[in-house]
Amino acid sequence: MSRPSCQASARWARHFSSSARCQQDSAQDAASRLLDTFAGKTVSRRQLIDGNQLQRLSLTLNRKFIGKHNVAERAPPAGTPVPPGYHLVYFTPDGVEADLGPDGSDRTYNAAAPFSRRMWAGGKMKWPSEKASICVGDEVEERTTLLSATAKKSRSAGEMVLVEVVKELEGAQGVAIVDKRSWVFRPEVDLSNASAPEPPRQTKQGPTLIEDVTGESTFPTRNFSWSPVGLFRFSALTFNGHKIHYNEGWTTAVEGHPGVIVHGPLNLINILNYWKDIHGQGQLPKEIVYRAMSPLYAGDKYQVHTASVEGAVGGRRYQILAEKDGIVCMKADIL
């Protein structure tokens, strides 16, 4: 199996996002071309796992300790295991600004135009072995393979393309993480029809709030309210130029949202942190299957909580929800 460079992958993406604009008019065509482009190909990258990046993510999450290491004072030393989900701030997009889409998003695995509006729909992560964990100071290889590209249609959103990729992260002790991601691509926005920006949303001022509360439930609930600053810091850490997470004018006038959007991967990490603190007992999860169901915005007050705990083959299955005013925004099952 050949392994083209990331630069080659980016060139393919630019080609199909620009030259195909006049050729593509259906989700089925866009899906087929993406499959043809990446058929039988795996993109490989290598990276040193840097403690500074891990430190800044932990501080963005309002967590001053990783294990016994106070990351408010210094970066975690070599050998510190990367907590579940924190690998998302490594292997960030390559390329210069001109390589990005009109909305600032990475176009490496985009469907062809006009299906360029990306939303993180869900996925599945597996940790095959505790012995193969990724640690600060390790040199790790990431291998990315396109699994599928499927035309979809709904009454509310019309045609779209569902794209699935899988990323394997391998260190010196073997494959440590298998990360399957699902993205939905909807038709691009017609900028000529963009409306004037709405008045600023009444967003809660002050720093991000993350706090545990106890009540009648068996397990604590964790309350969240992300500030625009917190979301901007996460965008910077993940080298994510997607404007919906920091540019309120674009998000409201062009995309039609009431405010900047909390990142799907950020809520995935929030859920994994909650599980680790409440249920983990010092162990790694075996897998998490998750689905984004409704957007959350800067200033929204929402909760992450345990919906159910059930017996399963190989251990207990925990259903963890991110919920706002009774609406489930992200659902995850963790083994």
Side-chain angles (χ1 to χ4, degrees), residues 60-79:
T60 299
L61 298 170
N62 282 359
R63 298 171 75 90
K64 294 183 178 181
F65 285 85
I66 296 178
K68 296 180 180 179
H69 304 292
N70 185 346
V71 295
E73 296 180 351
R74 62 173 183 169

Side-chain angles (χ1 to χ4, degrees), residues 42-119:
T42 294
V43 176
S44 179
R45 300 190 290 177
R46 299 189 71 86
Q47 183 174 356
L48 182 70
I49 302 302
D50 173 31
N52 293 310
Q53 187 81 339
L54 193 59
Q55 176 193 37
R56 283 155 178 73
L57 173 60
S58 191
L59 294 175
T60 299
L61 298 170
N62 282 359
R63 298 171 75 90
K64 294 183 178 181
F65 285 85
I66 296 178
K68 296 180 180 179
H69 304 292
N70 185 346
V71 295
E73 296 180 351
R74 62 173 183 169
T80 302
V82 174
Y86 286 35
H87 70 281
L88 291 169
V89 299
Y90 298 98
F91 295 102
T92 57
D94 294 327
V96 297
E97 184 180 344
D99 296 336
L100 303 176
D103 62 357
S105 63
D106 174 50
R107 298 195 293 187
T108 305
Y109 285 93
N110 271 26
F115 297 93
S116 61
R117 294 174 65 199
R118 186 185 72 187
M119 295 296 290

Side-chain angles (χ1 to χ4, degrees), residues 218-282:
T218 305
F219 305 107
T221 294
R222 185 162 293 173
N223 290 339
F224 289 88
S225 180
W226 282 95
S227 72
V229 172
L231 300 183
F232 179 82
R233 293 175 81 180
F234 189 78
S235 286
L237 278 166
T238 52
F239 207 42
N240 181 2
H242 202 176
K243 295 177 185 178
I244 61 173
H245 301 302
Y246 62 88
N247 187 323
E248 189 164 290
W250 173 279
T251 308
T252 56
V254 179
E255 299 274 3
H257 292 281
V260 292
I261 299 174
V262 179
H263 311 67
L266 177 56
N267 269 330
L268 173 59
I269 294 173
N270 290 333
I271 285 174
L272 283 166
N273 277 339
Y274 171 85
W275 179 89
K276 175 177 175 288
D277 296 341
I278 305 302
H279 303 294
Q281 298 181 345

Side-chain angles (χ1 to χ4, degrees), residues 124-127 272 275 283-289 310-319 332-335:
K124 179 179 181 179
M125 287 182 189
K126 296 182 71 174
W127 292 264
L272 283 166
W275 179 89
Q283 303 298 311
L284 283 175
K286 295 178 181 177
E287 70 173 42
I288 178 171
V289 180
E310 299 176 356
V313 176
R316 290 185 173 183
R317 181 183 299 274
Y318 301 84
Q319 185 173 89
D333 290 317
I334 303 177
L335 277 175

